[in-house]
């Protein structure tokens, strides 16, 4: 089973700063889809990015993502107050697994 | 608009089973796969399985043998039943509709299942 590792565990930044979140897979051979979600306390996850780099409907263009093989990145170009949340990557290919999440909190 | 409304919170004793429902509206239920994902208190997301329109199910290996997903097209409702509950099954359980292939895009509000004696 592919294991996803996210780093850092917590990212402390100020509004307006750039956030770079990493998601690394234990193996690349079987990943078909890489997805990113945002989750705020007490809420269901929200789809941000699908198929590695495509923004879901309604997602602001300050969110972008890229990657291939075993290394994937989510970038938030300028943090808005509503962006402080936990971000999860998720893969489908070899089963279906989530990473442990990166918390983006206010510095 | 797409809506997924889940059944209410449950408290179960160890060894019991729980069945959570997910009522869909705003789209053609017969055309979409439905995933179930759970989240233990303070923890991350854990995929449980998916049921497609056929209906064919795919379960995470961890839940094989005690997880059953079904769907009722007459009421546009998906169900998730988990048996042999232990305290480690205490979690919020989410249903989610695919937006893209193998990508849950629309999520229910979650159902808290507490397993306690």
């Amino acid at each position: 089973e592919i294991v996803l590792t996210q780093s850092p565990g917590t990212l402390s930044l100020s509004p307006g700063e750039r956030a770079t979140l990493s998601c690394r897979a234990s193996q690349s051979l079987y990943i078909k889809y890489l997805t990113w979600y945002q989750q705020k306390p007490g809420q269901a996850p929200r789809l941000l990015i699908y198929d590695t780099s495509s923004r879901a409907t309604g997602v602001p263009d300050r969110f972008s993502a890229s990657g291939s093989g075993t290394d994937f990145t989510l970038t938030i170009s300028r943090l808005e107050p509503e962006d402080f949340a936990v971000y999860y990557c998720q893969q489908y290919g070899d089963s279906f697994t989530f990473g442990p999440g990166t918390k983006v909190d206010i510095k | 608009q797409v809506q997924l409304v889940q059944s209410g919170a449950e408290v179960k004793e160890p060894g019991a089973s729980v069945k959570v429902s997910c009522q869909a509206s705003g789209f053609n239920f017969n055309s979409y796969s439905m995933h179930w994902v759970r989240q233990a208190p303070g923890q991350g997301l854990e995929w449980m399985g998916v049921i497609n329109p056929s209906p064919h199910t795919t379960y995470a290996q961890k839940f094989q043998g005690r997880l059953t997903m079904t769907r009722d097209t007459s009421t546009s409702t998906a169900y998730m039943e988990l048996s042999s509950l232990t305290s480690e099954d205490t979690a919020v359980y989410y249903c989610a509709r695919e937006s893209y292939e193998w990508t849950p895009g629309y999520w229910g509000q979650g159902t808290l299942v507490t397993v306690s004696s």
Side-chain angles (χ1 to χ4, degrees):
Chain A
E1 176 179 285
I2 292 177
V3 176
L4 297 178
T5 303
Q6 292 188 243
S7 60
T10 301
L11 194 53
S12 296
L13 295 169
S14 301
E17 290 194 292
R18 182 184 187 90
T20 302
L21 288 66
S22 173
C23 175
R24 177 164 289 178
S26 58
Q27 53 184 298
S28 68
L29 188 58
Y30 299 111
I31 289 180
K32 292 182 180 178
Y33 302 109
L34 197 288
T35 304
W36 290 90
Y37 298 91
Q38 175 194 68
Q39 188 179 34
K40 298 179 181 179
Q43 295 185 16
R46 172 196 179 195
L47 174 64
L48 290 180
I49 302 288
Y50 66 97
D51 200 11
T52 302
S53 59
S54 298
R55 274 189 301 276
T57 303
V59 175
D61 60 7
R62 64 180 180 273
F63 291 90
S64 64
S66 63
S68 64
T70 60
D71 292 313
F72 301 87
T73 301
L74 174 70
T75 301
I76 311 171
S77 60
R78 288 179 57 86
L79 283 163
E80 297 288 341
E82 62 269 27
D83 299 336
F84 292 92
V86 179
Y87 292 83
Y88 295 95
C89 60
Q90 170 256 307
Q91 68 82 25
Y92 169 70
D94 170 54
S95 190
F96 188 113
T97 54
F98 288 94
T102 290
K103 183 178 182 180
V104 179
D105 66 12
I106 299 177
K107 187 174 182 181
Chain B
Q1 73 280 22
V2 173
Q3 280 199 305
L4 299 171
V5 179
Q6 298 183 222
S7 49
E10 303 261 13
V11 179
K12 296 292 182 180
E13 292 194 344
S17 297
V18 68
K19 190 170 186 177
V20 178
S21 68
C22 172
Q23 167 108 57
S25 62
F27 65 97
N28 183 357
F29 182 71
N30 297 339
S31 297
Y32 290 89
S33 295
M34 300 295 293
H35 294 252
W36 290 86
V37 174
R38 75 178 185 179
Q39 186 170 36
Q43 302 301 307
L45 301 169
E46 180 175 34
W47 183 75
M48 300 180 71
V50 61
I51 181 168
N52 71 16
S54 295
H56 174 74
T57 53
T58 302
Y59 300 145
Q61 190 167 8
K62 174 177 180 177
F63 299 103
Q64 294 277 358
R66 68 183 189 108
L67 175 61
T68 303
M69 293 181 185
T70 56
R71 58 195 295 159
D72 183 343
T73 56
S74 67
T75 60
S76 298
T77 303
Y79 297 92
M80 184 284 300
E81 185 170 19
L82 190 63
S83 63
S84 304
L85 293 170
T86 72
S87 58
E88 295 191 350
D89 295 314
T90 294
V92 174
Y93 289 76
Y94 293 101
C95 65
R97 194 210 86 175
E98 280 190 357
S99 290
Y100 309 96
E101 195 169 359
W102 284 91
T103 305
Y106 293 95
W107 294 66
Q109 83 277 17
T111 296
L112 175 61
V113 175
T114 303
V115 183
S116 174
S117 55

